[in-house]
């Protein structure tokens, strides 16, 4: 993956909750002028609808995420 196409650093919303070590969820990420869905892995369970930040690429269509709150809006 090249830097300009990597989802790392992008913000997304969980479409399917993550289960931490129990398994992945699904995240819709705003990227390249549109939105794409990826399998989403997280260290702790995160609920559907949570805003997340992509922190790592785990393969072609899988990413690591963490809960995200915009520091400017608090959302």
């Amino acid at each position: 993956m090249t830097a300009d196409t990597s989802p790392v650093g992008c913000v997304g919303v969980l479409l399917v909750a993550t289960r931490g070590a129990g398994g992945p969820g699904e995240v819709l990420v705003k990227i390249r002028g549109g939105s794409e869905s990826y399998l989403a892995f997280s260290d702790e369970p995160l609920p559907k609808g949570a805003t997340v930040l992509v922190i790592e690429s785990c393969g072609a269509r899988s990413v690591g995420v963490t809960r995200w709150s915009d520091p400017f809006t608090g959302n």
Side-chain angles (χ1 to χ4, degrees):
M1 234 181 243
T2 60
D4 63 330
T5 61
S6 173
V8 174
C10 294
V11 174
V13 175
L14 290 179
L15 301 176
V16 176
T18 64
R19 296 177 287 147
E26 184 178 357
V27 63
L28 187 63
V29 177
K30 296 176 187 174
I31 187 169
R32 293 186 286 276
S35 297
E36 295 186 22
S37 61
Y38 295 85
L39 281 178
F41 294 87
S42 62
D43 290 338
E44 61 185 43
L46 298 172
K48 176 181 177 181
T51 300
V52 296
L53 177 68
V54 178
I55 55 172
E56 67 179 322
S57 177
C58 303
R61 302 301 303 170
S62 300
V63 295
V65 299
T66 190
R67 186 180 297 274
W68 174 253
S69 178
D70 187 312
F72 297 106
T73 65
N75 296 330

